[in-house]
Amino acid sequence: NAGVTQTPKFQVLKTGQSMTLQCAQDMNHEYMSWYRQDPGMGLRLIHYSVGAGITDQGEVPNGYNVSRSTTEDFPLRLLSAAPSQTSVYFCATRRGVNYGYTFGSGTRLTVV
Amino acid sequence: TQLLEQSPQFLSIQEGENLTVYCNSSSVFSSLQWYRQEPGEGPVLLVTVVTGGEVKKLKRLTFQFGDARKDSSLHITAAQPGDTGLYLCAGAIYSGTYKYIFGTGTRLKVLA
């Protein structure tokens, strides 16, 4: 039982490039979220989904897109990478509003 | 703005000492979670508390939820180097819709 799988683990992008961070869960949870974690800023919500076909913006959505075509997968797309998007990205899933999250191991992204 | 303040921000102690980390908010939580995060990994869920006054124990860790469900504490007895990490409290607040917020974090270092 893998839980939440994120790929890649590390990535370096040039400014302006696009890429997709992959996230897959095998827990059959409806709730999935993407967070970024920066020193001194804590965990900030980028986008979230409450089920297949339903997504919504979080606290810092600009420059990112998501889609949720299946319960299992929730990819995060960077449209045109900027140095301000250098961060550690976490995908997480939970059973419902009053449950805690299971996090993936993260993607460390550097934009140069 | 809903804030979840943790104190202290940093804590460096010797192996065998006891410590308490606090998590405070002006908002009422429908549930509250504690996580531990180690370098290079995602946060790992330790516990969920939902009832005011609830106390839960996980080996040497004791979690308490405030009677008014606005605050929580984490007490570690006889800390060990393996307890080193970033401790995060987080919880769900309802104000029209549910919002999940993370605390500011407490970075603990236990010296052997």
Side-chain angles (χ1 to χ4, degrees):
Chain A
N1 192 343
V4 180
T5 302
Q6 285 186 242
T7 55
K9 196 156 179 69
F10 300 94
Q11 183 71 49
V12 179
L13 287 179
K14 293 183 178 178
T15 297
Q17 286 185 318
S18 62
M19 79 160 293
T20 299
L21 279 62
Q22 301 292 345
C23 175
Q25 56 110 349
D26 62 4
M27 305 176 77
N28 202 31
H29 288 172
E30 294 297 330
Y31 285 75
M32 294 188 77
S33 299
W34 276 101
Y35 286 90
R36 59 178 289 176
Q37 187 175 38
D38 303 287
M41 302 293 289
L43 282 158
R44 292 184 291 170
L45 182 64
I46 304 171
H47 285 284
Y48 66 98
S49 170
V50 298
I54 306 169
T55 63
D56 208 344
Q57 296 181 351
E59 185 185 350
V60 288
N62 292 340
Y64 308 95
N65 270 355
V66 292
S67 60
R68 183 96 180 269
S69 56
T70 67
T71 298
E72 294 78 21
D73 298 301
F74 191 42
L76 177 72
R77 295 182 188 83
L78 276 70
L79 308 172
S80 177
S84 61
Q85 293 179 304
T86 293
S87 186
V88 181
Y89 291 84
F90 290 103
C91 178
T93 183
R94 58 181 173 148
R95 188 180 300 173
V97 293
N98 284 314
Y99 291 84
Y101 276 109
T102 297
F103 281 83
S105 57
T107 295
R108 186 172 295 273
L109 176 69
T110 302
V111 182
V112 297
Chain B
T1 303
Q2 294 113 349
L3 289 175
L4 199 45
E5 300 279 352
Q6 285 184 239
S7 61
Q9 273 188 288
F10 301 96
L11 195 53
S12 181
I13 61 171
Q14 292 293 130
E15 182 176 4
E17 292 183 5
N18 300 333
L19 67 116
T20 302
V21 176
Y22 299 94
C23 175
N24 292 286
S25 175
S26 57
S27 302
V28 176
F29 288 88
S30 59
S31 71
L32 189 139
Q33 287 79 32
W34 285 91
Y35 298 82
R36 178 169 64 217
Q37 185 178 19
E38 298 184 22
E41 297 295 328
V44 174
L45 179 66
L46 297 175
V47 76
T48 294
V49 286
V50 295
T51 305
E54 185 175 2
V55 177
K56 281 193 173 179
K57 294 194 175 187
L58 184 66
K59 296 183 182 177
R60 294 175 292 98
L61 279 60
T62 301
F63 306 86
Q64 184 157 9
F65 201 15
D67 290 342
R69 293 186 287 132
K70 292 184 178 182
D71 57 272
S72 181
S73 63
L74 158 59
H75 182 79
I76 301 179
T77 303
Q80 298 178 0
D83 296 325
T84 293
L86 176 67
Y87 288 81
L88 296 163
C89 63
I93 295 171
Y94 182 78
S95 57
T97 59
Y98 277 101
K99 193 171 182 179
Y100 194 84
I101 62 172
F102 279 90
T104 49
T106 294
R107 196 166 293 278
L108 171 66
K109 187 166 187 176
V110 183
L111 305 168

